Amino acid sequence: MKNKQSIIMALAAGLAFWTQGLFGGSVQRIPSAEWNAWLEDEWLKIARYEAEDAQSGELTPASDAAGGCDGIINGRWGFHTDREKEPWWQVDLGAVHPLARVGIWNRSDSESCARRASGFRLLLSDDGDEWREVYRHPGEVFYGYHMPDRRPLTIRLKNQSARYVRVQLPGEQFLHLDEVQVIGAARGAGNLALNRPSDQSSVSKWSTRKAVSATDFRLSLDSLFQRAQGLATARRAEGRISPAQQRTLADFVKRIGVLKEDAPETLRKALYLELRGLVRDLALADPLLDFDAILLTKRVPGSFNHMSDQYYGWWSRPGGGIYALRDFKGDSPALECLSGAFPEPGSFLRPDLSHDGKKVLFAWCRHYPKLSAEKDKLNKANVPEDAFYHVYEMNVDGSNPRRLTKGKYDNFDARYLSDGRIVFLSTRRGQALQVTRETAARSLECPDLPDVYVRCGGDERRPVAVYTLHTMNADGGDLTPISPFEMFEWEPSIANDGTVIYARWDYVDRDNMPYMSLWSMNPDGTNARLVYGNHTKAPHCVFEPRSVPGSSKIVFTASGHHAQTMGSLVLLDPAKGVEGDEPVERLTPTVPFPEIEGWAAAQFANPWPLSERLHLVSWGVEESVKQGGLRAPNGMGLCLFDADGGLEPIYRDAEISSMYPIPLRARTKPPVVPDTVDWEGPQEGCFLVADVYRGMKGVPKGAVKALRVVAVPAKTQPWMNKPSIGLTRDDPGKVALGTVPVEADGSAWFRAPSGVSLFFQALDEDGLAVQTMRSATHLQPGQTLACVGCHEERTQTPPAELLAMAREPSKIAVGPEGSWPFRYDRLVQPVLDSQCVRCHNPQSDDALAAAFDLSPEKSYETLVDFGEESLRKRVLEGYRRGFSIAGDTPARGGSLWAWLEKHPEHHGVRFTKDARERFIVWMDLYAQRAGCFDEEQEKRVAALRLKWADLLIERKLQPHVATLASGSR
């Protein structure tokens, strides 16, 4: 948005009003005439949305056909018939109109698909029964959206008039177009087809339900009247309804009661709009709306549509600011720009208001037009520092703006903690396995340290850097990483109890979809724990969590993986469980969970709960844009959402999205959760497990003898499967630190390094994994983290006495060479070289032995593909399943381990205890080639054995291994 004395707010109905220039700094009062005209337009838009909701998901030819005249032009198909004889699509203009021309935008995502429409016929009709052909396309392929001028194929019409316009194909074929425009011949007629009722000959598997193009005001008026009566009852009980409002409602009772069945839609529409005015007054009189101003952000959604990339500055699109909408309940609100001190072009992101209502935190980056096309963003020399999002704070009147973060890292989603500190997200985690205040300080000393990256995709043009939780003082000092997690954490907020609730992407040894679940931790980083959805596959993403005032429940946005944050609103009751459908209530039940259930025409985002039922939200009838698409710059506006009564518009800018509503007032400060971390002390803590058998069904007491402790290094470069360290495309890094004992009662108490992402495996007497933790945890310095068991229900209580507590906490007994750092060629290959390769090599005289090649070049593939229940098969099955089953682990039940057990001696070669352990560690850690992503990371991981020496029990190397060279990858 460019500086202007004023800008025209061109709304869908062609209405306009003066509004705030981007950096003008003044308050602009919206004239009541234009405001009321805008409200009517929004009410009609909401009526169309609610009419669509009433369809309850039914897919009909008409609901798919609406995409052919909805104004959305993106090069894809707006509607899609089945393959049939002479398929057709048509639009009803409502009356016979003189016509000037028809514009047709073909789909342009595939030449072969576009070619199908090259022989279409254009037909007109006055009554829908008798048709006349006015044009037949000669046969060449045409497009529209992806052509240089982005113009449709235009068919000019002379002396033609019609009510119905039809596009039809000869022969047997699919019919699918992007958009059809019908331009009237009357002066100023414009596109007569836009959002008019449409229909088509059939639906196909590519059809989708679109927003309805017309409203049945008979149904809309009935449901609105019921809402009005419900609101009146509530306001009457609160003493907040005036005598005039009661008389108005009584008058509507009479007027609607005598309305004839055949009353024209125009009359019903007029009554609907009049009644909406009363409903608005009653809705905005809710006592929970005890504020007169709303903080909001205007912004254009980022240009890369993915849950991860939406918060990188290089994908920003310019325009917007931080605003205050004042007197929003009246008929002439005022809009004030608070961010006028910021230069343009730039992008603002996700603000927070201080508890006293006097300061605002937000993120801002400068927009560089050519940066998104930069081919090597991995090289930070190619990216200016202010192109990254940074955290800023200013007074609520826009004065004294100041930057709190620095460096070539994206910093955003800053939130005020109750103790005066600030929690925020940052890509400055760094590549260390052990994340500490010292590693954070290095990101201040060196502004362009390398990042860590998502494991399942990216490259140098699109480096997908991981962002995790950090805290800092109010002045930006005392930078502290409170999470060492190796994967993304999202959209934190402060819960009613003072803890931080946030989403995180938890895909350790499982498919990267759909495990974006809800977690909580203390502001000092202690006690990270699941709140909801670690194994629940729908929704994909549990984003934007916020505690409901005066309630233990949490509202969140159910969002999609390959999309930005938007979708369906959900109310979570953590007291009812942590998985599945039981703890959740869909507040918007007709909006599917994006991607996993489909893609909705209307989207919700940014809920700010006022109660369990009432929320400020961002909302828009915006096409669901998947990865690779470009969202509309102006799709979202602000609404009051009542889970029992629908939507009431608050504000929308026709040119740019309005998002992130926050009541502009002081609010109750949650209790301070004290910092219990000994930051300057030893960088270690203790884990206490009360009973490992809790949560492991079918595992008899005494079966588990030890726990294996495994660290998870983060990925150090952005290319998928480079290097290939395992059997899946996105294997996590691994370091098998070693094992700790489990007592007869199932308890374990052991020391471990702090600031390290860890998971555990329960082991039997042979060292085989019984069950593997499919998530990660961590300690902070000096912390003892206790859990009841493995995968236990959170409501369980631990035993009163634990055998493990009768002794000092265990040290970690380091495993065989090759487990730390994790390397197949150092862990398994030495056994093969010393005992097997002399027979199992390509030069062997024994053809069967030679075929089972265990030489260094071939042994890995030979072993992982051995047998019917091969390691590859078992690893991939567990990866796709996504959760652990006690007793079902990669080694146990697999063909390779079964053969080794059956043949402890083979042609004079004895399978030693050391060899058994090496094979077990390798197989149960998902048979990876390596646990690090580059040589430098491996060196750092190896050096930690010396740094953590006091935590470890080292072993002597086996004689046949000690003399072997280290090998290479």
Side-chain angles (χ1 to χ4, degrees):
M1 189 182 298
K2 299 179 179 179
N3 277 335
K4 300 179 182 179
Q5 185 178 2
S6 62
I7 59 174
I8 295 178
M9 245 186 135
L11 301 169
L15 304 171
F17 56 85
W18 297 109
T19 188
Q20 170 67 44
L22 178 56
F23 301 113
S26 61
V27 178
Q28 296 290 338
R29 181 70 62 178
I30 303 169
S32 59
E34 285 107 358
W35 179 251
N36 290 327
W38 172 78
L39 279 175
E40 287 195 0
D41 182 77
E42 288 293 296
W43 288 336
L44 294 175
K45 184 183 297 182
I46 289 171
R48 288 195 298 270
Y49 161 71
E50 291 175 342
E52 179 195 5
D53 257 8
Q55 293 179 6
S56 301
E58 180 185 2
L59 177 63
T60 65
S63 62
D64 184 41
C69 54
D70 59 0
I72 297 172
I73 302 170
N74 58 13
R76 298 164 59 214
W77 63 92
F79 65 89
H80 201 306
T81 74
D82 205 356
R83 186 181 184 92
E84 61 179 329
K85 187 177 181 180
E86 297 188 344
W88 54 265
W89 175 94
Q90 68 186 44
V91 60
D92 178 1
L93 306 180
V96 175
H97 291 275
L99 306 180
R101 64 186 183 274
V102 172
I104 298 181
W105 303 71
N106 198 1
R107 61 181 292 189
S108 53
D109 54 345
S110 164
E111 180 179 354
S112 61
C113 291
R115 190 177 299 279
R116 292 170 180 162
S118 58
F120 78 88
R121 302 160 59 208
L122 184 67
L123 307 174
L124 303 179
S125 175
D126 295 339
D127 57 9
D129 294 324
E130 299 293 330
W131 296 89
R132 59 189 183 276
E133 181 179 317
V134 294
Y135 177 81
R136 183 175 297 211
H137 194 60
E140 68 267 16
V141 179
F142 66 99
Y143 296 97
Y145 181 79
H146 288 153
M147 302 312 291
D149 58 4
R150 291 195 175 185
R151 292 181 180 176
L153 173 71
T154 299
I155 304 162
R156 299 196 177 276
L157 304 173
K158 291 184 179 180
N159 302 317
Q160 295 287 347
S161 61
R163 172 174 176 171
Y164 298 91
V165 178
R166 173 180 286 190
V167 178
Q168 190 161 9
L169 291 183
E172 186 173 334
Q173 189 53 275
F174 297 102
L175 174 60
H176 40 61
L177 298 170
D178 187 355
E179 184 81 357
V180 179
Q181 297 176 338
V182 181
I183 308 301
R187 186 175 180 179
N191 181 10
L192 302 174
L194 183 63
N195 289 325
R196 292 299 307 166
S198 53
D199 204 354
Q200 64 193 48
S201 52
S202 62
V203 295
S204 71
K205 65 179 181 181
W206 298 281
S207 296
T208 56
R209 188 166 60 93
K210 313 295 195 311
V212 296
S213 54
T215 304
D216 182 347
F217 283 101
R218 179 183 289 102
L219 297 176
S220 297
L221 195 55
D222 289 346
S223 62
L224 184 64
F225 184 64
Q226 291 176 16
R227 185 183 179 201
Q229 290 180 311
L231 286 171
T233 299
R235 298 294 90 88
R236 194 176 293 113
E238 298 157 357
R240 288 173 172 263
I241 188 170
S242 69
Q245 288 172 330
Q246 297 198 69
R247 288 194 297 271
T248 300
L249 183 61
D251 182 54
F252 269 110
V253 172
K254 296 177 182 177
R255 293 165 67 187
I256 292 174
V258 299
L259 197 63
K260 295 181 179 179
E261 185 67 25
D262 60 350
E265 280 291 281
T266 53
L267 176 59
R268 294 182 187 276
K269 177 181 176 180
L271 279 173
Y272 174 84
L273 292 174
E274 190 178 348
L275 184 56
R276 285 260 11 177
L278 175 62
V279 166
R280 178 178 181 82
D281 290 342
L282 294 172
L284 296 185
D286 193 298
L288 294 173
L289 296 172
D290 57 349
F291 49 92
D292 294 314
I294 295 174
L295 189 74
L296 63 97
T297 304
K298 294 187 181 184
R299 72 184 305 265
V300 181
S303 63
F304 200 101
N305 205 50
H306 192 281
M307 61 177 187
S308 305
D309 303 69
Q310 61 185 318
Y311 301 132
Y312 300 141
W314 49 57
W315 300 128
S316 71
R317 296 159 73 190
I322 307 296
Y323 287 78
L325 179 69
R326 305 187 186 280
D327 302 328
F328 70 94
K329 302 175 196 174
D331 63 356
S332 182
L335 191 67
E336 179 183 2
C337 179
L338 307 178
S339 54
F342 284 79
E344 61 172 310
S347 175
F348 295 82
L349 189 61
R350 304 181 69 82
D352 189 36
L353 186 66
S354 61
H355 297 103
D356 61 7
K358 295 181 179 180
K359 294 182 178 181
V360 182
L361 285 171
F362 57 94
W364 179 83
C365 73
R366 186 186 294 273
H367 172 75
Y368 289 84
K370 297 181 180 180
L371 184 56
S372 62
E374 168 60 49
K375 294 181 179 179
D376 187 9
K377 299 182 184 73
L378 191 63
N379 181 357
K380 291 189 175 182
N382 295 331
V383 186
E385 182 172 338
D386 61 355
F388 293 87
Y389 279 106
H390 284 283
V391 175
Y392 290 79
E393 186 183 54
M394 66 183 177
N395 295 332
V396 78
D397 62 0
S399 64
N400 193 31
R402 59 198 184 101
R403 179 170 150 181
L404 301 182
T405 59
K406 63 179 182 178
K408 293 190 174 185
Y409 317 99
D410 281 297
N411 307 271
F412 57 98
D413 269 11
R415 302 288 178 258
Y416 288 103
L417 290 165
S418 297
D419 64 358
R421 289 180 66 81
I422 294 167
V423 63
F424 66 105
L425 290 171
S426 179
T427 58
R428 66 195 321 125
R429 177 202 182 279
Q431 297 189 347
L433 177 61
Q434 187 172 36
V435 177
T436 64
R437 279 186 167 181
E438 181 182 354
T439 64
R442 286 202 290 272
S443 74
L444 298 175
E445 297 162 3
C446 184
D448 56 357
L449 289 174
D451 301 315
V452 294
Y453 303 94
V454 70
R455 287 185 265 114
C456 61
D459 53 34
E460 65 273 26
R461 181 184 178 277
R462 183 208 168 199
V464 188
V466 166
Y467 32 83
T468 55
L469 290 165
H470 294 67
T471 62
M472 59 183 171
N473 282 341
D475 61 1
D478 194 28
L479 179 65
T480 303
I482 60 171
S483 170
F485 198 51
E486 53 90 35
M487 200 42 58
F488 287 94
E489 295 169 325
W490 277 281
E491 300 172 353
S493 69
I494 312 306
N496 291 340
D497 62 1
T499 60
V500 180
I501 50 177
Y502 61 101
R504 83 179 197 184
W505 193 358
D506 219 336
Y507 70 107
V508 175
D509 292 317
R510 57 182 179 174
D511 194 355
N512 57 63
M513 294 177 65
Y515 303 109
M516 282 59 71
S517 47
L518 184 60
W519 287 70
S520 173
M521 71 166 62
N522 294 339
D524 61 3
T526 57
N527 298 344
R529 55 202 178 275
L530 175 70
V531 176
Y532 175 74
N534 197 35
H535 295 135
T536 299
K537 294 187 176 183
H540 274 175
C541 306
V542 181
F543 281 174
E544 300 189 305
R546 284 199 178 274
S547 281
V548 175
S551 170
S552 60
K553 296 181 182 180
I554 298 167
V555 65
F556 67 83
T557 302
S559 191
H561 181 132
H562 297 97
Q564 295 184 9
T565 298
M566 56 198 298
S568 182
L569 299 183
V570 179
L571 187 66
L572 171 71
D573 185 353
K576 292 184 177 180
V578 298
E579 302 288 352
D581 295 333
E582 180 62 23
V584 298
E585 176 190 354
R586 298 192 182 208
L587 298 180
T588 53
T590 58
V591 180
F593 289 164
E595 191 164 1
I596 194 166
E597 294 181 346
W599 299 94
Q603 305 281 353
F604 290 83
N606 321 139
W608 186 277
L610 304 173
S611 71
E612 292 182 5
R613 316 307 294 172
L614 199 64
H615 309 261
L616 295 176
V617 299
S618 299
W619 176 82
V621 181
E622 179 182 343
E623 180 191 19
S624 299
V625 180
K626 294 96 160 151
Q627 181 174 336
L630 195 64
R631 283 183 63 189
N634 59 348
M636 303 299 281
L638 304 186
C639 285
L640 178 68
F641 170 74
D642 184 343
D644 299 317
L647 288 163
E648 186 59 45
I650 297 294
Y651 177 78
R652 183 185 299 274
D653 187 321
E655 295 186 356
I656 188 169
S657 283
S658 302
M659 305 176 70
Y660 313 128
I662 303 175
L664 196 49
R665 63 172 180 189
R667 67 183 192 273
T668 302
K669 183 185 294 187
V672 173
V673 180
D675 188 336
T676 60
V677 176
D678 182 10
W679 294 106
E680 305 304 322
Q683 300 298 294
E684 64 170 272
C686 288
F687 285 102
L688 175 62
V689 182
D691 184 359
V692 298
Y693 301 102
R694 301 276 188 101
M696 289 200 296
K697 296 180 181 179
V699 179
K701 207 83 166 178
V704 176
K705 303 298 184 183
L707 297 178
R708 180 177 292 123
V709 183
V710 184
V712 187
K715 194 167 187 269
T716 55
Q717 42 73 22
W719 295 277
M720 178 186 289
N721 213 24
K722 291 183 181 180
S724 176
I725 65 172
L727 296 174
T728 73
R729 295 184 305 166
D730 40 39
D731 294 274
K734 289 191 177 74
V735 183
L737 302 185
T739 59
V740 295
V742 172
E743 304 296 336
D745 63 350
S747 62
W749 190 26
F750 56 97
R751 296 165 64 188
S754 59
V756 179
S757 192
L758 301 168
F759 71 88
F760 311 124
Q761 292 183 314
L763 310 180
D764 67 11
E765 60 184 357
D766 294 320
L768 285 165
V770 177
Q771 185 151 303
T772 296
M773 181 176 167
R774 303 300 283 273
S775 183
T777 188
H778 72 272
L779 296 166
Q780 296 288 52
Q783 178 192 10
T784 294
L785 180 60
C787 63
V788 174
C790 296
H791 304 270
E792 83 287 354
E793 293 291 333
R794 64 167 57 182
T795 55
Q796 293 186 14
T797 55
E801 296 183 3
L802 305 176
L803 292 177
M805 293 290 289
R807 53 167 174 77
E808 291 295 310
S810 303
K811 293 184 177 183
I812 299 172
V814 178
E817 176 66 15
S819 58
W820 182 355
F822 192 77
R823 289 275 297 265
Y824 169 84
D825 60 355
R826 297 180 186 175
L827 184 62
V828 175
Q829 191 62 43
V831 177
L832 305 178
D833 288 345
S834 65
Q835 301 188 40
C836 307
V837 172
R838 61 177 177 267
C839 294
H840 292 282
N841 68 81
Q843 287 75 43
S844 175
D845 294 335
D846 186 329
L848 289 177
F852 197 73
D853 190 351
L854 296 178
S855 62
E857 297 75 17
K858 298 289 185 180
S859 65
Y860 181 83
E861 298 295 336
T862 299
L863 292 180
V864 297
D865 289 322
F866 173 73
E868 180 67 25
E869 286 295 316
S870 68
L871 267 175
R872 186 187 302 275
K873 177 182 177 182
R874 293 188 64 75
V875 166
L876 292 179
E877 284 179 348
Y879 168 84
R880 294 177 184 122
R881 183 175 63 229
F883 58 89
S884 295
I885 299 174
D888 186 0
T889 53
R892 191 184 299 269
S895 298
L896 181 58
W897 179 249
W899 191 94
L900 292 173
E901 281 282 82
K902 189 176 180 180
H903 302 87
E905 292 192 19
H906 176 63
H907 291 283
V909 174
R910 185 170 61 85
F911 194 43
T912 65
K913 181 179 179 181
D914 173 70
R916 287 167 60 92
E917 183 179 9
R918 288 169 173 272
F919 270 81
I920 288 170
V921 172
W922 173 63
M923 289 187 288
D924 274 336
L925 287 184
Y926 294 84
Q928 290 184 202
R929 292 180 183 271
C932 292
F933 294 97
D934 61 50
E935 292 183 3
E936 285 301 313
Q937 183 181 49
E938 190 171 277
K939 290 177 182 177
R940 293 194 298 269
V941 164
L944 288 173
R945 290 179 73 157
L946 296 176
K947 184 177 180 180
W948 296 343
D950 187 53
L951 296 173
L952 308 175
I953 301 172
E954 290 281 4
R955 64 165 70 191
K956 294 182 179 180
L957 296 178
Q958 295 295 319
H960 74 274
V961 175
T963 58
L964 291 174
S966 61
S968 61
R969 284 205 190 147

